[in-house]
Amino acid sequence: MTDADDLMTRRRATWAAAEHTLSASLPTISARLARLATARPGGVDLGQQVDVYAGGIVGELEERTAELLGCEDAAFFPTGTMAQQVALRCWAERTGSRVVASHPMAHLEVHERAAYAVVTGLRTVHPTRAPRVATAAEVRALGEPFGTLMLELPMREPGFVLPEWEELEEVVAAAREREAVVHFDGARLWECTMHFGRGLAEIAGLADSVYVSFYKSLGGLSGAALAGPAGFVEEARAWRHRYGGQVFQQWPAALTALEGLQRELPRLPSYVAHARVVAGALREGFAGAGVPFFRVHPGVPHTHQFQVWLPYGAEALMDAGTALAEETGTCLFRMWTEPGDPPGLSVTEVTVTEPGLAWSAEDVAREAAALVERVRRVEAAGTAEVPETEGAAETERAGAEAAAPGPEPADPAVSN
């Protein structure tokens, strides 16, 4: 393990130990096992035999998902990447077109190692490069035919952004005019209902197929589902087997997914509502601290997740935040990265879940100002300020001498 790895490990341990956070850290293995042992999602017979190559509790999860999304059927997949590739492959064969219209900032392009091209033999075209969902006019103006329009809802990379409902309807209609099918990358579709003012079934009903995740917002161990017409889903199950997704037993993932549908899904609207309170309080705190430039994006969050941009280095921000978490037990932000465009700015992703509901606007504004004060001290000193734990002094010296580590993965609470 490098010095930089050791520093990041200690940072994460400090963040996880903080008593006051906006979202929960990933639990320890023992805590997860304890929760799994006590999981009692309504209507599930825990005395049944474990699943064997689907069926059983996995089948129950598929039925529940299809019902929630208003679809004829749904198939469980071990990963969302696999579900996406299977969906696009099936539609390519049905439409006769291997061209997918997508966004260059979509999960398909950024986080799946070009699997659509390397594994599935597809290619993509981009109606727009603007940091938002494409408009109907842009879909109509695309200069070549395509068989599938894939829309990520919400779009994570630009800030968990969504179009307005009427705009989404128009985009889907534009794709239909071009005789294309529509697939929703709805990994985080569960939390879109407040922004759209529509239920899950009505939202999913706009598309021909929908992929949803069970761990990003619902707190499941892993897994995803692909939902749509019965014949399409049956074909997807065949490709799931071919892609290696016919796992012998998946009951732990299915059990926690069902628990998430029961426990977290009804709470998501409250998280979204409070994220808007947190966003407003952050603006107040940064302005009061005299930050020369900052951005909370979107200004009114579309979901319970949003971005914060500050004019400080990522390492300084993480050092300052870690020191505050150690001293006060409060952790406002975790991971920061420096995209480089525009230069001199760092960005973090904020997720508000159950722990964040205890934060008042005043709490958020106060902690934002405290972070700014501390990061200014860190940058002025030009040295790392890390928790005074065993080996901290050695790591601090190493951190000052070593080259800055590359961009870290996003916080687990919002990982892809």
Side-chain angles (χ1 to χ4, degrees), residues 216-413:
K216 289 183 170 67
S217 303
L218 300 181
L221 281 175
S222 60
L226 183 60
F232 169 84
V233 173
E234 191 60 30
E235 182 182 354
R237 287 192 173 98
W239 281 108
R240 178 183 66 186
H241 195 175
R242 295 183 181 114
Y243 273 65
Q246 194 80 350
V247 181
F248 179 54
Q249 289 183 20
Q250 299 183 97
W251 63 267
L255 180 61
T256 57
L258 285 165
E259 181 192 32
L261 290 174
Q262 176 177 292
R263 182 179 186 276
E264 287 299 304
L265 184 58
R267 299 181 181 185
L268 285 174
S270 67
Y271 300 164
V272 176
H274 201 62
R276 297 170 181 176
V277 174
V278 171
L282 287 173
R283 289 194 296 272
E284 179 182 340
F286 295 144
V291 179
F293 169 85
F294 64 89
R295 188 183 188 196
V296 177
H297 177 71
V300 177
H302 297 172
T303 72
H304 68 312
Q305 298 177 283
F306 57 93
Q307 293 177 341
V308 171
W309 294 74
L310 288 176
Y312 308 109
E315 287 296 304
L317 283 162
M318 288 188 286
D319 286 341
T322 304
L324 286 171
E326 175 72 11
E327 294 170 10
T328 68
T330 298
C331 179
L332 183 60
F333 305 116
R334 294 171 183 156
M335 292 300 308
W336 290 85
T337 58
E338 297 177 39
D341 184 22
L345 298 179
S346 296
V347 62
T348 189
E349 294 175 331
V350 178
T351 301
V352 177
T353 58
E354 185 176 12
L357 298 180
W359 290 56
S360 68
E362 292 75 18
D363 294 335
V364 175
R366 181 185 64 250
E367 295 303 325
L371 176 70
V372 170
E373 178 185 357
R374 181 59 65 95
V375 77
R376 286 169 175 163
R377 286 167 49 189
V378 171
E379 288 201 326
T383 57
E385 185 170 346
V386 297
E388 292 298 326
T389 55
E390 183 178 356
E394 290 80 359
T395 303
E396 180 174 342
R397 287 194 296 271
E401 297 169 357
E408 288 287 331
D411 188 276

Side-chain angles (χ1 to χ4, degrees), residues 103-185:
H103 197 289
M105 299 176 75
H107 193 279
L108 175 77
E109 303 277 9
V110 179
H111 296 290
E112 297 182 15
R113 295 199 176 191
Y116 67 85
V118 177
V119 178
T120 316
L122 309 179
R123 68 182 181 90
T124 59
V125 293
H126 304 140
T128 183
R129 292 184 176 275
R132 52 163 173 74
V133 174
T135 66
E138 289 164 341
V139 170
R140 292 189 182 99
L142 194 55
E144 57 183 300
F146 55 92
T148 304
L149 172 65
M150 195 207 73
L151 300 175
E152 183 182 356
L153 301 175
M155 287 189 65
R156 178 195 179 183
E157 297 299 323
F160 306 96
V161 296
L162 290 162
E164 295 304 314
W165 176 253
E166 293 75 16
E167 293 172 332
L168 182 59
E169 288 182 310
E170 291 171 2
V171 171
V172 170
R176 304 267 193 257
E177 291 171 13
R178 300 200 57 166
E179 300 181 345
V181 297
V182 177
H183 171 70
F184 284 170
D185 173 346

